[in-house]
């Protein structure tokens, strides 16, 4: 049957409030596994990054989402080879190029798609500020030209990047986000406001933003279940990053406990998945 896998971002485990220093990588992975996460997300484009991460995940019986930041078509190749060598859950491209011309964006994305066709590991393109997918409307133009492009949805970047005016968002913008989600095969989870890419989900006054994102993720779960196979798995990464993503107070520290919020987010999305009427 279809399953939701909730991953924890190792970047999100850096500089946690109340800790004097970050844990070594192997200990971070072990802590994520002990907390009930199904996998971890981290950089995966050199052997020095990939090998210890894959080993730590294997030691703890959990999976890996690999991340890479290619600046050209060919630069994807090493990460793709490593992803297949270690048999990770999927590889996420954060496309580190910023063409002004749509045709150039399509040339690069089509090049990556051709390389991904020979991969046993799924490859997804992340929606992210400062990348090919920086702008929501441009990304929709890309989907018009490449309707089979597989995305990884990080909706926080669109919320703040286009400065959505209110929540619940206007119907036109909601429809645009749903179009993104209909092409998404995984997600990175954080909650944004129109002005901040990451707000504290444990603060009561941010609940309207949390509710908006939960509604979008609920739609993603239903959309994915209709498109995916009966035994496929959907990954959702809790990605609550350190400052400057996390808002810090005058002491320079996070205003909330990001680890506690990651556990809160994990539980919320699992509850949301259990309510998914489309899962098979």
């Amino acid at each position: 049957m279809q399953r939701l896998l909730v991953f924890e971002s190792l970047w999100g485990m850096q500089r946690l409030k109340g800790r004097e220093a970050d844990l070594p990588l192997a200990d971070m992975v072990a802590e994520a596994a002990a907390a009930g996460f199904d996998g971890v997300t981290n950089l995966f484009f050199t052997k020095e990054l990939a090998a210890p991460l894959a080993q730590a995940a294997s030691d703890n019986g959990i999976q890996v989402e690999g991340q890479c930041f290619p600046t050209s078509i060919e630069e994807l190749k090493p990460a793709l080879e490593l992803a297949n060598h270690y048999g990770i859950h999927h590889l996420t491209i954060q496309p580190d190029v910023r063409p002004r011309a749509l045709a150039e964006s399509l040339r690069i994305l089509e090049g990556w798609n051709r390389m991904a066709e020979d991969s046993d590991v799924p490859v997804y393109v992340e929606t992210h500020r400062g990348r090919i997918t920086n702008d929501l409307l441009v990304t929709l133009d890309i989907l018009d030209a490449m309707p089979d492009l597989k995305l990884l949805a990080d909706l926080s970047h669109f919320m703040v990047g286009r400065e959505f005016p209110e929540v619940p968002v206007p119907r036109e913008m909601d429809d645009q986000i749903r179009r993104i989600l209909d092409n998404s095969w995984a997600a990175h989870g954080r909650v944004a406001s129109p002005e901040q890419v990451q707000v504290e989900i444990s603060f009561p006054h941010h609940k309207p933003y949390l509710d908006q994102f939960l509604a979008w993720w609920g739609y993603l779960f239903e959309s994915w279940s209709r498109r995916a196979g009966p035994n496929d798995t959907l990954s959702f990464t809790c990605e609550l990053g350190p400052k400057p993503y996390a808002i810090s107070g005058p002491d320079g520290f996070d205003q909330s406990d990001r680890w506690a919020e990651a556990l809160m987010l994990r539980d919320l999305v699992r509850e949301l998945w259990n309510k998914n009427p489309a899962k098979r």
Side-chain angles (χ1 to χ4, degrees), residues 80 84 112-121 123:
L80 199 55
N84 281 275
W112 287 333
N113 263 6
R114 287 192 297 271
M115 294 177 70
E117 287 174 357
D118 297 325
S119 173
D120 293 327
V121 171
V123 179

Side-chain angles (χ1 to χ4, degrees), residues 70-104:
T71 61
S72 67
I73 294 173
E74 284 302 313
E75 208 170 274
L76 175 62
K77 186 176 180 180
L80 199 55
E81 291 176 346
L82 288 165
N84 281 275
H85 175 75
Y86 289 106
I88 64 175
H89 187 268
H90 65 277
L91 180 67
T92 297
I93 298 173
Q94 199 181 104
D96 193 12
V97 281
R98 289 153 288 278
R100 290 186 63 181
L102 179 62
E104 177 63 6

Side-chain angles (χ1 to χ4, degrees), residues 158-178:
F158 290 146
M159 168 68 90
V160 70
R162 292 208 65 83
E163 197 174 20
F164 281 25
E166 58 191 63
V167 288
V169 303
R171 176 63 181 273
E172 179 184 15
M173 289 179 162
D174 190 57
D175 288 344
Q176 291 167 348
I177 290 294
R178 287 177 178 238

Side-chain angles (χ1 to χ4, degrees), residues 23-169:
L23 297 175
L25 182 141
D27 292 342
M28 279 188 183
V29 174
E31 183 175 28
F37 287 99
D38 302 300
V40 289
T41 297
N42 207 38
L43 309 180
F44 211 86
F45 49 84
T46 67
K47 187 174 182 179
E48 291 73 21
L49 291 166
L53 179 60
Q55 185 62 57
S58 177
D59 290 344
N60 288 277
I62 61 175
Q63 300 199 50
V64 169
E65 173 194 13
Q67 294 175 298
C68 63
F69 306 82
T71 61
S72 67
I73 294 173
E74 284 302 313
E75 208 170 274
L76 175 62
K77 186 176 180 180
L80 199 55
E81 291 176 346
L82 288 165
N84 281 275
H85 175 75
Y86 289 106
I88 64 175
H89 187 268
H90 65 277
L91 180 67
T92 297
I93 298 173
Q94 199 181 104
D96 193 12
V97 281
R98 289 153 288 278
R100 290 186 63 181
L102 179 62
E104 177 63 6
S105 293
L106 295 175
R107 183 189 71 84
I108 294 168
L109 291 166
E110 288 167 352
W112 287 333
N113 263 6
R114 287 192 297 271
M115 294 177 70
E117 287 174 357
D118 297 325
S119 173
D120 293 327
V121 171
V123 179
Y124 307 138
V125 175
E126 182 176 0
T127 62
H128 201 289
R129 288 171 301 154
R131 306 292 187 250
I132 279 180
T133 51
N134 175 78
D135 184 76
L136 173 57
L137 301 185
V138 172
T139 305
L140 294 175
D141 287 341
I142 289 171
L143 293 183
D144 285 344
M146 299 180 65
D148 295 327
L149 181 65
K150 292 187 174 182
L151 299 176
L152 180 146
D154 187 335
L155 302 178
S156 64
H157 295 289
F158 290 146
M159 168 68 90
V160 70
R162 292 208 65 83
E163 197 174 20
F164 281 25
E166 58 191 63
V167 288
V169 303

Side-chain angles (χ1 to χ4, degrees), residues 6 35 37 238 261-274:
V6 185
F37 287 99
C238 299
E261 289 192 331
L263 299 179
M264 173 185 172
L265 184 56
R266 176 204 63 192
D267 293 344
L268 286 170
V269 296
R270 283 181 173 160
E271 180 182 352
L272 196 60
W273 172 259
N274 289 334

